[in-house]
Every structure is written in C-alpha cells, then in structure tokens.
Amino acid sequence: MNHTPADAALASFEIDDTLTGGTAVFNNQASGVFNINAALDNSFAYYTTGVGTFNNYGQLNKNLNGAPASIGFVPVLNNQPGGSINLNSGTLMLFGSNTYSAGSTFSAASGSTLQFAGGTQTFNGNASVTGTGATVLFSGGTINTAAANDFSILNNNAWSVTGGTVNLSAGNLTNFASPVSLTGGTLNLNTGNAHSFNAGLTFGNNDFNATDNLTVPLGQTLAISGAAGAGTLRGSGSLNTVGPSTVSTGGVWLTTKTWNNDGAITFTGSNA
C-alpha cells in the first residue's frame, strides 16, 4: 500500500493475516468496522522501512484468541474522536507511537490481555480505557496519561509494569482491586488521589515514584524482592503498610519517601 484509502463504504473489512504498512495511511472512517481475526497478535505489521499509519474513526475490533507473537512491527495507531477499539479476546500488543484522542474509547473484555509493548502511547483529553476481568501489561515504551482520562481499567483489573516508563496522572485512578506487580521499568503515579492496594503489591526492580499516598491494607501483603539496589521507592507521597511486608534478596532503596508501618516486616534471603 502506498496511497491513502478510505473505507467509508465498507460495513466490515476483515483480514486473516497482516496489513503491511510502510508509509501507507489507512483511514477507518466513522461508519467503518475493522475486524482483526488473525491468530497472531502483531496483526498490524510492516515489513519495510518506514511506518504506516492507521487512523481509526470507527470500530477497530480484536477478536480471535491467539498466542502473542514473539516480535511484532506495528504502524502508528491514532484512535480519533469517536473511534472505538474493542479488545474482545486474546492479546493485543501495541508497539507503535500511538495517540488516543479526546472522545475516543478503548475497552478490554474479560479474559483478554492488553499489552503496551513499545513506542510512545499518548492519551489525550477524556480518552478512556475501560474493562473488567482483563489483564494489563506495561512492558516497554512510554505511556502518558492526562488528568481527564478515564483509565479505570487499572482500578478493576490485575496490572503489572515490567519495562518502559508509565506516567499515570488520570484523575479517576483510586483504589486497586486486583493484584499489582511492579518488577521492572519506571512507574510515576501522580493523580492527586490516595491509593489502596486491596489485593497486595509485588515490588522488584522498578523505579516507583509516587506523589500520591499509598496504602497496603490489613490482610494484604507488600512483597519486595529483586537485585540489590535495583528497586527504588521515592516521591513525596507516603507509603502506609498495615498488612505484613516481606523483603527478600537485594531489597529496595527508599528515597525521599516516608514509610509508615503498622504491620510486621520480615527480612529474608542471604542478605537479611
């Protein structure tokens, strides 16, 4: 593809393999429906130099289950005002430098996995990412959220940061009902709200900077492990542990952070 097609006349455009990009632009218009029914999750791929662009004004649906591809090349994805991305099943891995405009929606169904794997993902205005029963994985790239975003998918589902830089400032982020794991990369949590990790927090080789106050409540555990000096808890927000905490292997650096402990902290491992 080396031109700019438009699919306003198509009720549905289905592919079973890959969309090659290069410098091509594909516009999925407001009445367009683009169904990804591929077995692999790098269904938008380019195999030439340059990056194609997919502008979504209509519906973009990821449907069939499939194991995530070990590598993937993905064009720029712009979810435009009024555009909706629906992760209905399987795993959707996003690698491009993508923009989600105000008025756009992104939903993930129960049992699906949404993975931010590379590039710069920018959520503007009141762009939303919602869903219940899904899993969210931040494994690479940079994620930028805005105060007006609806990022409630993290309130309701298990999520983890294993790589990249995640900047969370969405104002509707409050308490986390499912397990949270921070084992790599960087998380900046600056929403102006307090947060309770109501299913526990696992912390490892992550740089966790929070200006928000954090609580691990009674009955839940803060589990810290990782390479020596690789994990850092910092930021002006306090860390409050009411439940038990375990610190093993290399431990963690506490930098410009106040930790208020009302539970039992147990140090284990060869360095205890």
Side-chain angles (χ1 to χ4, degrees):
M1 294 171 62
N2 57 10
H3 60 288
T4 304
D7 72 337
L10 298 178
S12 178
F13 180 42
E14 299 183 17
I15 61 172
D16 292 320
D17 190 11
T18 57
L19 174 67
T20 56
T23 58
V25 176
F26 186 91
N27 293 319
N28 191 43
Q29 304 285 34
S31 59
V33 178
F34 197 98
N35 293 318
I36 306 173
N37 294 334
L40 296 178
D41 292 287
N42 64 332
S43 301
F44 294 134
Y46 66 89
Y47 298 100
T48 59
T49 58
V51 178
T53 299
F54 190 105
N55 293 313
N56 182 51
Y57 299 87
Q59 292 185 40
L60 172 58
N61 302 316
K62 168 67 173 74
N63 294 320
L64 301 182
N65 284 301
S70 58
I71 58 173
F73 301 90
V74 182
V76 173
L77 171 61
N78 296 318
N79 201 26
Q80 303 287 359
S84 63
I85 301 174
N86 303 301
L87 174 52
N88 295 322
S89 65
T91 300
L92 179 59
M93 304 170 70
L94 297 170
F95 291 87
S97 290
N98 306 328
T99 300
Y100 308 86
S101 298
S104 68
T105 61
F106 197 141
S107 65
S110 179
S112 67
T113 298
L114 172 59
Q115 181 174 354
F116 297 98
T120 300
Q121 315 279 334
T122 302
F123 294 84
N124 294 319
N126 64 346
S128 66
V129 186
T130 61
T132 301
T135 299
V136 182
L137 172 60
F138 302 97
S139 61
T142 300
I143 291 83
N144 297 314
T145 67
N149 288 160
D150 178 354
F151 230 76
S152 58
I153 192 170
L154 299 187
N155 292 337
N156 304 320
N157 303 287
W159 57 279
S160 60
V161 179
T162 62
T165 299
V166 182
N167 300 310
L168 296 179
S169 56
N172 73 333
L173 285 176
T174 53
N175 298 329
F176 305 120
S178 297
V180 176
S181 176
L182 309 176
T183 58
T186 298
L187 173 61
N188 297 308
L189 184 61
N190 307 297
T191 69
N193 300 323
H195 309 279
S196 179
F197 293 87
N198 292 335
L201 171 63
T202 299
F203 183 81
N205 302 337
N206 180 272
D207 179 15
F208 186 12
N209 175 30
T211 59
D212 298 341
N213 293 332
L214 313 173
T215 299
V216 179
L218 185 66
Q220 301 303 324
T221 300
L222 170 62
I224 298 175
S225 64
T232 303
L233 290 168
R234 60 188 178 93
S236 59
S238 63
L239 171 62
N240 307 288
T241 50
V242 183
S245 301
T246 60
V247 181
S248 62
T249 64
V252 63
W253 289 107
L254 199 66
T255 305
T256 62
K257 172 69 67 178
T258 299
W259 182 346
N260 302 310
N261 177 55
D262 286 302
I265 301 178
T266 302
F267 288 85
T268 62
S270 58
N271 294 327

